[in-house]
Amino acid sequence: RGECSGAEAAVRAVEAAAGDGGFDVAMTGPALDVLSGAIPRRRLLHILPLVRVFARMAPAQKEMAVAGLNQSHLTTLMCGDGTNDVGALKRAHVGVALLCAAPSSSSS
């Protein structure tokens, strides 16, 4: 029985959970960093579409996730604050900037 790296074990767990397990998979930015540095890009591109929630990600990680999903020929939608997320918003097929500003006061 062959040994596999922790990253490869994580990939297998994602595949099992999202496949036959029927679970929705979430991935954090630090997890994406570990996997992107430890497994071949083709493996990363294989599991990105299995992830339903990307959480606690730096702007560059969001951009990498959207680009990977685009390379997998998926339609992407990115919601972000419009400042730090501009790269991912631009790469997505649909980019939604959620801006919140105080209502302007009008003087009468």
Side-chain angles (χ1 to χ4, degrees):
R1 179 172 128 142
E3 293 291 320
C4 67
S5 70
E8 186 59 35
V11 169
R12 290 180 185 176
V14 167
E15 291 171 334
D20 295 336
F23 292 96
D24 290 332
V25 176
M27 183 179 292
T28 64
L32 181 63
D33 278 346
V34 168
L35 290 178
S36 65
I39 62 173
R41 182 151 177 82
R42 65 177 171 70
R43 285 290 275 159
L44 186 62
L45 291 176
H46 170 73
I47 66 162
L48 282 179
L50 303 177
V51 177
R52 296 287 176 244
V53 176
F54 294 93
R56 309 299 301 162
M57 301 183 89
Q61 293 165 330
K62 294 173 190 178
E63 193 170 348
M64 181 172 61
V66 170
L69 292 168
N70 288 344
Q71 285 181 345
S72 296
H73 306 289
L74 296 171
T75 301
T76 53
L77 179 141
M78 169 68 191
C79 293
D81 64 15
T83 53
N84 293 333
D85 301 328
V86 70
L89 289 167
K90 283 183 169 184
R91 282 189 176 266
H93 292 98
V94 178
V96 178
L98 305 172
L99 304 174
C100 182
S104 60
S105 60
S106 61
S107 53
S108 305

